Amino acid sequence: MKTRLEQIREKAISQISGCDSAEKLNEIRVAILGKKGELTDLLKSMKDVAPEDRPKVGQMVNEARTEIERVLEEHKSRIERALREARMKAEVIDVTLPAGKAQIGHRHPNTIALEEVERIFVGMGYEVVEGSEVEKDYYNFEALNIPADHPAKDEQDTFYITCESGDILLRTQTSGVQVHEMEKGRLPIRMLAPGRVFRSDEVDATHSPCFHQIEGLVVDKHITFADLKGTLAEFAKELFGRETRVKFRPHHFPFTEPSAEMDVSCFKCGGKGCRFCKGSGWIEILGCGMVHPHVLEMSGIDPEEYTGFAFGIGLERIALLKYEIDDMRLLYENDIRFLRQF
Ligand code: DAH
């Protein structure tokens, strides 16, 4: 029995010291000290031992058990310590490593184009003012000489806001800001009013229910069409390059008389005609005209004393042209891969 005990003890100690995980260690414990373990088995054969030897043998078994338990405990804490150290090593943070690159945003082509237009006009002494997107019918239409039966007032084009008086809408143009400025009665006026406008349009490559315009207005004594032409020609040269030529085509707007649309010589082909200008050599960029005397009068300005000119630029159109983008929808999707290119 003594030899058997010695064998168990030695085997246990060698198994324990060769073990490298807490689970395996537990398996060893069960195999030796558990209810069906080898040492427990040995105790069961105590009945074969002569009664006078039993205390001695019992003591030997107990000593072996205590020793195995001690070795098990020691080895267990050794394994735990090694595990902890390995984990700490893996979790070490090297604070001297360079930081990851932060993703930063990008200015939108509309914003870049608007800032460019503002820079040019502010340089000529214009003030940038802000109008409101929700407007009264009066400012969007009536005060601009647009009659009640004008097709633009159709609900198919204009977003009306339901209210008792029925005269509140989302502005369809920035031209109403002209009226607000004139009503203030501070003359002369040199203003630029950029902002969102709304029309009940389906989305496609050239339309959107929400887009941006930049309104311009100059009112002073002795303002003539020559001032309009000189100002807008200078603007076009600043925006598209000094070699740019301009052309004014007669047009009709209710709030200006006479009215015109301004074309610029194609900055791609210089006017020879190419795919970009659809072969014509010219690209339309804005509407303009001399402020209609009715419009001045309605806003409290004497048309005998003061005259003025106005213009309206489509911001998206400028951005699309300047950056050669062929689909307006790209401007609204805000795909960072697209925006990064400008
Ligand atoms: N409001 C016009 C539009 O939405 C653009 C415009 C044309 C504005 C001529 C003006 C102007 O101030 O003089 O189509």
Side-chain angles (χ1 to χ4, degrees), residues 195-253:
R196 273 196 195 95
V197 298
F198 306 86
R199 288 183 200 178
S200 181
D201 274 331
E202 293 293 332
V203 178
D204 66 22
T206 53
H207 292 86
S208 161
C210 168
F211 57 103
H212 301 77
Q213 288 185 335
I214 308 166
E215 193 73 22
L217 174 70
V218 171
V219 179
D220 202 350
K221 288 176 179 161
H222 315 299
I223 296 290
T224 69
F225 203 90
D227 296 308
L228 177 156
K229 283 179 77 175
T231 304
L232 295 179
E234 178 57 22
F235 161 66
K237 285 176 198 291
E238 273 291 299
L239 190 63
F240 294 112
R242 298 308 303 177
E243 64 291 347
T244 308
R245 286 165 292 125
V246 296
K247 178 170 87 171
F248 291 86
R249 280 179 293 100
H251 201 78
H252 172 263
F253 296 105

Side-chain angles (χ1 to χ4, degrees), residues 96-284:
T96 65
L97 280 176
K101 214 171 164 195
Q103 285 267 0
I104 55 167
H106 199 283
R107 286 199 308 162
H108 192 279
N110 268 353
T111 310
I112 305 173
L114 175 59
E115 285 175 3
E116 182 70 3
V117 172
E118 285 181 348
R119 181 189 66 77
I120 296 168
F121 282 103
V122 167
M124 297 190 212
Y126 285 58
E127 189 191 347
V128 178
V129 304
E130 210 172 319
S132 104
E133 290 166 8
V134 178
E135 188 57 282
K136 283 195 171 143
D137 182 288
Y138 176 78
Y139 289 97
N140 196 74
F141 293 124
E142 211 180 312
L144 290 165
N145 214 21
I146 300 172
D149 59 356
H150 194 280
K153 295 192 72 172
D154 199 307
E155 273 183 55
Q156 289 190 340
D157 297 313
T158 305
F159 288 115
Y160 286 94
I161 291 169
T162 321
C163 68
E164 238 164 76
S165 55
D167 66 347
I168 309 285
L169 45 78
L170 295 183
R171 65 177 175 187
T172 61
Q173 51 185 359
T174 45
S175 300
V177 187
Q178 290 185 27
V179 180
H180 287 286
E181 273 311 288
M182 291 191 286
E183 280 184 348
K184 287 181 188 164
R186 282 199 307 260
L187 293 161
I189 296 168
R190 261 188 230 94
M191 69 133 220
L192 202 65
R196 273 196 195 95
V197 298
F198 306 86
R199 288 183 200 178
S200 181
D201 274 331
E202 293 293 332
V203 178
D204 66 22
T206 53
H207 292 86
S208 161
C210 168
F211 57 103
H212 301 77
Q213 288 185 335
I214 308 166
E215 193 73 22
L217 174 70
V218 171
V219 179
D220 202 350
K221 288 176 179 161
H222 315 299
I223 296 290
T224 69
F225 203 90
D227 296 308
L228 177 156
K229 283 179 77 175
T231 304
L232 295 179
E234 178 57 22
F235 161 66
K237 285 176 198 291
E238 273 291 299
L239 190 63
F240 294 112
R242 298 308 303 177
E243 64 291 347
T244 308
R245 286 165 292 125
V246 296
K247 178 170 87 171
F248 291 86
R249 280 179 293 100
H251 201 78
H252 172 263
F253 296 105
F255 36 89
T256 44
E257 182 58 38
S259 306
E261 277 186 334
M262 186 177 88
D263 296 348
V264 293
S265 55
C266 177
F267 43 85
K268 265 276 185 214
C269 64
K272 286 193 278 295
C274 67
R275 196 185 57 85
F276 203 68
C277 55
K278 298 192 180 78
S280 75
W282 296 95
I283 298 169
E284 182 220 313

